[in-house]
């Protein structure tokens, strides 16, 4: 949706800032609805859970295509948010369960790579298709692909038992631990910063630099490639210099890149370079933060990953909402300052948290 936000806004007769709240609806539904649906479906095997997720996805796509008006579109985005969240969480568990012993990590990384690759190619392809035809054409294609996925899951994924359910109360109990709460707070603020910029990336690019429609698609593809580089860089740096240093460097680079973007407007090469640097930095943060949380509570790794995923989506929702307010009342260029301020807040929390950890380690 982020690559075609301006076209969606125009077609339904709302401002770009209002259309940005489609991301808020998607992310809030993902964060809140996913654990509820998964808890409700715990008695079903994983194949049925995947099929239910795909059916919900098809329902969201059909409603996007068939129902008129911005209000129905908002509801459709919420339905798609729940479907996406349920499918991804279940896919990770299914991959690990079906993999032979010793290869669970590799199987889960394949799911992650598929998800990353979809983001890399989906945004620029969507922009090209919407430019040549209409943005709803994208959803006809997504509906067809979802039907293929439904058939593939039904025919190839064997029935298997789901894991024992973890109550919401137990999951939320970990938020009472200061170290975990602080770390999830860092996730929240970093992804507020990411969402504030990424949700409005198309109008932001159009304002930032003189660029054609094809140029915007090319930049979006470059950002996608940068995200893949960042995912690999995060793991490499974590092994080389440690988790805390990698996270602090990632957040620092994001802040610097976004501030410089606001100062050096008009230069295509400089702006694209800074955007790619920002994308590499944010995508190096994600896997490193997952590893950081697992290291804090290794006995509850699945709960940590689930909580982190929810805080990412809450950050997405808040960033899209705050960015929309700024775009509507000020200028789209304000999102870079909002993003840098949010990430700087996360950086400050992380610096204090890591400082206390090192102090306790020296005392012990």
């Amino acid at each position: 949706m982020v690559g075609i936000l301006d076209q969606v806004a125009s077609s339904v007769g709302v401002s770009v800032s209002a259309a940005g709240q489609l991301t808020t609806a998607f992310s809030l539904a993902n964060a809140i609805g996913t654990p509820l649906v998964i808890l409700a479906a715990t008695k079903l095997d994983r194949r049925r859970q995947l099929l239910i997720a795909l059916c919900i996805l098809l329902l969201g796509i059909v409603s996007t295509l068939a129902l008129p008006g911005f209000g129905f579109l908002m509801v459709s985005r919420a339905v798609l948010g729940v479907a996406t969240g349920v499918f991804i969480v279940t896919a990770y568990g299914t991959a690990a369960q079906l993999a032979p012993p010793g290869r669970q990590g590799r199987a889960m990384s394949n799911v992650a790579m598929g998800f990353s690759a979809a983001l890399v190619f989906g945004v620029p392809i969507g922009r090209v298709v919407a430019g040549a035809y209409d943005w709803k054409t994208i959803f006809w294609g997504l509906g067809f692909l979802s039907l293929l996925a439904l058939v593939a899951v039904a025919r190839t994924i064997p029935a298997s038992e789901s894991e024992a359910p973890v109550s919401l109360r137990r999951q939320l109990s970990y938020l009472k631990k200061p170290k975990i709460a602080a770390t999830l707070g860092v996730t929240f603020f970093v992804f507020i910063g990411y969402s504030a910029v990424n949700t409005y990336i198309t109008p932001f690019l159009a304002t930032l630099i003189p660029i054609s429609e094809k140029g915007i698609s090319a930049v979006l593809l470059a950002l996608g490639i940068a995200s893949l580089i960042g995912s690999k860089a995060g793991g490499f740096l974590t092994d080389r210099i440690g988790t805390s240093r990698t996270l602090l460097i990632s957040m620092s680079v994001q802040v610097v890149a976004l501030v410089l973007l606001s100062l050096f407007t008009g230069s295509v090469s400089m702006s694209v370079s800074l955007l790619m640097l920002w994308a590499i930095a944010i995508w190096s943060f994600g896997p490193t933060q997952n590893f950081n949380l697992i290291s804090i509570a290794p006995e509850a790794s699945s709960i940590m990953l689930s909580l982190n995923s929810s805080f990412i989506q809450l950050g997405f929702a808040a960033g899209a909402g705050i960015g929309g307010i700024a775009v509507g009342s000020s200028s789209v260029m304000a999102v870079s300052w909002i993003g840098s301020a949010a990430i700087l807040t996360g950086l400050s929390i992380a610096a204090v948290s890591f400082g206390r950890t090192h102090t306790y380690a020296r005392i012990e």
Side-chain angles (χ1 to χ4, degrees):
M1 187 62 73
V2 297
I4 57 173
L5 195 64
D6 53 339
Q7 298 183 22
V8 173
S10 177
S11 70
V12 295
V14 299
S15 65
V16 171
S17 59
Q21 305 320 302
L22 295 170
T23 297
T24 302
F26 182 97
S27 298
L28 280 177
N30 190 303
I32 299 171
T34 296
L36 296 177
V37 173
I38 288 178
L39 282 175
T42 49
K43 294 183 179 180
L44 301 176
D45 62 75
R46 291 188 184 276
R47 180 178 65 179
R48 290 186 180 181
Q49 291 179 13
L50 289 172
L51 292 173
I52 288 173
L54 288 169
C55 287
I56 298 174
L57 189 71
L58 281 168
L59 176 63
I61 291 171
V62 170
S63 63
T64 299
L65 292 169
L67 299 178
F70 183 67
F72 282 119
L73 185 58
M74 187 77 78
V75 173
S76 299
R77 292 300 294 169
V79 172
L80 290 169
V82 173
T84 303
V86 173
F87 185 86
I88 291 174
V89 171
T90 308
Y92 276 122
T94 305
Q97 190 175 55
L98 294 179
R103 291 182 176 268
Q104 288 91 344
R106 186 177 302 178
M108 293 179 70
S109 69
N110 286 339
V111 175
M113 184 60 70
F115 183 55
S116 298
L119 291 174
V120 168
F121 297 109
V123 174
I125 288 175
R127 184 72 188 182
V128 171
V129 172
Y133 301 99
D134 177 76
W135 68 268
K136 286 193 174 183
T137 305
I138 299 168
F139 285 86
W140 284 104
L142 291 177
F144 176 71
L145 292 174
S146 298
L147 284 173
L148 291 181
L150 196 68
V151 174
V153 168
R155 299 191 64 176
T156 63
I157 303 297
S160 58
E161 293 298 324
S162 180
E163 292 181 355
V166 179
S167 68
L168 284 176
R169 178 177 296 180
R170 184 186 171 194
Q171 293 186 44
L172 295 176
S173 68
Y174 282 90
L175 295 177
K176 298 178 181 179
K177 299 182 179 182
K179 178 69 174 178
I180 294 174
T183 304
L184 291 172
V186 173
T187 294
F188 178 66
F189 281 106
V190 167
F191 280 94
I192 285 178
Y194 175 70
S195 178
V197 177
N198 190 61
T199 301
Y200 305 96
I201 189 66
T202 303
F204 181 74
L205 283 173
T207 305
L208 182 67
I209 49 180
I211 195 169
S212 65
E213 180 69 27
K214 290 183 179 179
I216 290 177
S217 299
V219 173
L220 293 175
L221 179 59
L223 292 179
I225 294 172
S227 71
L228 288 178
I229 295 172
S231 298
K232 291 293 183 181
F236 175 80
L237 290 174
T238 299
D239 291 338
R240 290 281 182 169
I241 64 176
T243 303
S244 59
R245 289 181 180 178
T246 300
L247 290 172
L248 292 174
I249 290 173
S250 167
M251 288 182 278
S252 299
V253 171
Q254 291 175 58
V255 172
V256 171
L258 290 177
V259 169
L260 291 178
L261 269 174
S262 298
L263 299 177
F264 293 97
T265 58
S267 172
V268 176
S269 59
M270 176 66 75
S271 297
V272 172
S273 298
L274 288 171
L275 280 169
M276 290 188 70
L277 184 63
W278 165 72
I280 290 172
I282 181 64
W283 281 86
S284 68
F285 174 89
T288 307
Q289 183 73 326
N290 276 332
F291 181 76
N292 182 37
L293 277 163
I294 291 174
S295 301
I296 294 172
E299 76 285 355
S301 59
S302 61
I303 296 176
M304 291 299 98
L305 293 175
S306 176
L307 285 172
N308 196 46
S309 176
S310 291
F311 272 78
I312 287 173
Q313 293 301 327
L314 290 173
F316 273 135
I322 296 170
I325 294 172
V327 171
S329 60
S330 177
S331 165
V332 72
M333 292 302 297
V335 297
S336 62
W337 292 106
I338 293 170
S340 58
I343 296 164
L344 185 60
T345 303
L347 176 61
S348 301
I349 296 172
V352 172
S353 179
F354 290 142
R356 288 179 178 175
T357 300
H358 293 155
T359 300
Y360 294 151
R362 286 196 298 268
I363 292 173
E364 292 175 356

